Amino acid sequence: MSATIIDGKIIAADLRAAVKAETQRLHAAHGIVPGLAVVLIGDDPASQSYVASKSRAVAEVGMRPFDHHLPADVSEAELIALVQKLNADPAVHGVLVQMPLPPQISTKCIVARIDPDKDVDGFHPLNAGRLFTGLPALAPCTPIACIKLIKTVHASLAGREALMVGRSHIVGNPLAQLLLKENATVTIAHTRSRDLPALCRRAEILCVAIGRAEYVRGDWIRPGSTVIDIGINRVTAGGKSRIVGDVNFAEALPVAGAVTPVPGGVGPMTIACLLLNTLRAACTQAGLPAPEV
Ligand code: NAP
C-alpha cells in the first residue's frame, strides 16, 4: 500500500478560485477591493522571490497588491512609520512585513505595531491571544493551511490523536490550537520531549514543523496515519541542491495513509490562506460576515 499524496498545488488552486469568486462578489455587492500591503526589507533573494509570488497571487484573485521595498539599513522608526501609514490607509486591508528582519529592527516591536485587524500573518499578540481563548481571530496562514489539508482526508478530527512536533509561535503553537478547536486530542512535542518516535507512533494525525531535514523516519509513523510535513529544508548532495521536508517522504509513503509532499504540499496552501485571510480582514473591516471558504 502506498499513501495518498495530498496535492497542495491542486487544493490551493481550488481555494484560490473560491477566494477569487468571493472577492468578485464583495466588489460587486459592496464596491470593496481587498488590498494587501507587503513590506520587504533588504535584498535577500529568497524573500524577494517569496514576496513576488505573493504579489502575483494577490493580483490573480482580483485583490490589490501594495508592494513596499525598503533598504536593508532602514531604521526601526522608519519601518514603524510605514506600518502606521498602512494601518491608516483604508485601501489596505492586510499588512504583512516579510521576515526575517535585519538585526537593527525588533521583530516583536514591528509585529505589535501592525493593526490587529490588518494582521493577515496572524502574528500579533492580540490575535494569538484571541486564538488561544477561542475568540474569532486572524490565525497564522501555515496552520490554517495544514487544517485545510487534513480536512481533505478527514471530514472530522473529533477525538483523533494528533501530534504537533514543534512549538514555534508561527507554526507549532497555533496549529496545535487549531487542532484542539477541531476537537482532536493534541500532544505537542519539542526538543525536550522524551522518545519522540514513540509519541509519533501514537498519532493518527502527525504534523511536523521542526526545520530538520527528513528527521521523522518511516518506522516512527503509525500505519494509515495522516502526515503533514511543514518543514522546508535545503539539502545538497552530489553537488545538487533540493528542498526536502522534516519527514523522510520515501519512508513515509509505504506506511502512512496520506502524506503531504515537500515541495508541493503545505507551501502552496500557505499563500492561498494568506489570500483568504486578506479577504476575511476586508470583510471584517467593512462590518460584513467573513465568507465561508
Ligand atoms: P522554529 O521557530 O525553529 O521552531 C522549531 C520547533 O521545532 C521548536 O519548537 C523546536 O523545539 C522544535 N524542534 C527542533 N528540533 C527538534 C527535534 N529534534 N525534536 C523535537 N522538536 C524539535 O521553526 P518554525 O518557524 O516553526 O519552522 C519549522 C519548519 O517549518 C522550518 O523548516 C520552516 O522553514 C518551515 N515552515 C514552512 C512554512 C510553509 O509554508 N510550508 C511556513 C513556516 C515555516 P524547542 O521549542 O524545544 O526549541
Side-chain angles (χ1 to χ4, degrees):
M1 282 290 285
S2 185
T4 301
I5 295 174
I6 304 172
D7 191 331
K9 282 190 195 159
I10 291 178
I11 301 164
D14 287 347
L15 178 57
R16 287 201 310 270
V19 169
K20 184 175 183 173
E22 288 297 336
T23 300
Q24 283 167 346
R25 232 191 303 276
L26 185 65
H27 186 217
H30 303 281
I32 298 167
V33 179
L36 175 66
V38 178
V39 182
L40 172 67
I41 296 130
D43 299 310
D44 174 49
S47 295
Q48 273 178 337
S49 112
Y50 198 44
V51 164
S53 58
K54 280 176 185 169
S55 298
R56 249 194 327 273
V58 167
E60 273 166 18
V61 294
M63 296 181 181
R64 206 173 279 151
F66 297 89
D67 291 348
H68 294 267
H69 193 172
L70 301 176
D73 62 356
V74 68
S75 70
E76 192 171 273
E78 285 169 300
L79 180 56
I80 290 173
L82 175 59
V83 166
Q84 282 170 340
K85 198 171 130 218
L86 297 171
N87 284 346
D89 185 342
V92 172
H93 302 93
V95 177
L96 183 157
V97 179
Q98 184 65 40
M99 308 293 168
L101 297 177
Q104 73 275 16
I105 297 176
S106 153
T107 302
K108 270 189 190 162
C109 165
I110 295 303
V111 167
R113 293 302 185 114
I114 296 171
D115 178 346
D117 287 344
K118 296 191 177 185
D119 170 38
V120 284
D121 252 343
F123 296 159
H124 192 286
L126 200 76
N127 278 316
R130 292 178 73 88
L131 180 64
F132 273 68
T133 50
L135 293 168
L138 280 167
C141 303
T142 300
I144 298 175
C146 294
I147 294 290
K148 286 193 174 290
L149 291 174
I150 296 167
K151 284 196 155 180
T152 64
V153 182
H154 304 280
S156 166
L157 309 192
R160 293 199 182 264
E161 285 269 1
L163 177 68
M164 178 70 242
V165 190
R167 56 175 168 178
S168 72
H169 297 309
I170 293 172
V171 188
N173 261 331
L175 179 49
Q177 285 305 312
L178 291 179
L179 287 163
L180 204 54
K181 216 172 145 198
E182 295 291 335
N183 296 313
T185 301
V186 184
T187 304
I188 304 176
H190 43 79
T191 51
R192 312 290 171 88
S193 298
R194 283 196 302 258
D195 202 351
L196 185 60
L199 291 173
C200 290
R201 281 185 204 111
R202 276 188 9 212
E204 297 171 88
I205 295 161
L206 174 60
C207 301
V208 190
I210 57 176
R212 303 262 184 277
E214 300 180 317
Y215 190 80
V216 172
R217 309 301 304 259
D219 63 352
W220 300 13
I221 292 171
R222 175 168 166 165
S225 62
T226 298
V227 179
I228 305 294
D229 188 352
I230 299 143
I232 303 176
N233 309 288
R234 184 169 290 281
V235 293
T236 309
K240 280 192 179 168
S241 141
R242 64 193 178 102
I243 301 287
V244 298
D246 289 341
V247 177
N248 187 312
F249 183 74
E251 291 181 7
L253 216 45
V255 189
V259 60
T260 56
V262 178
V266 176
M269 268 306 269
T270 293
I271 294 195
C273 289
L274 172 66
L275 304 173
L276 177 60
N277 265 358
T278 305
L279 174 65
R280 285 178 174 162
C283 291
T284 308
Q285 284 159 49
L288 299 167
E292 291 292 326
V293 178

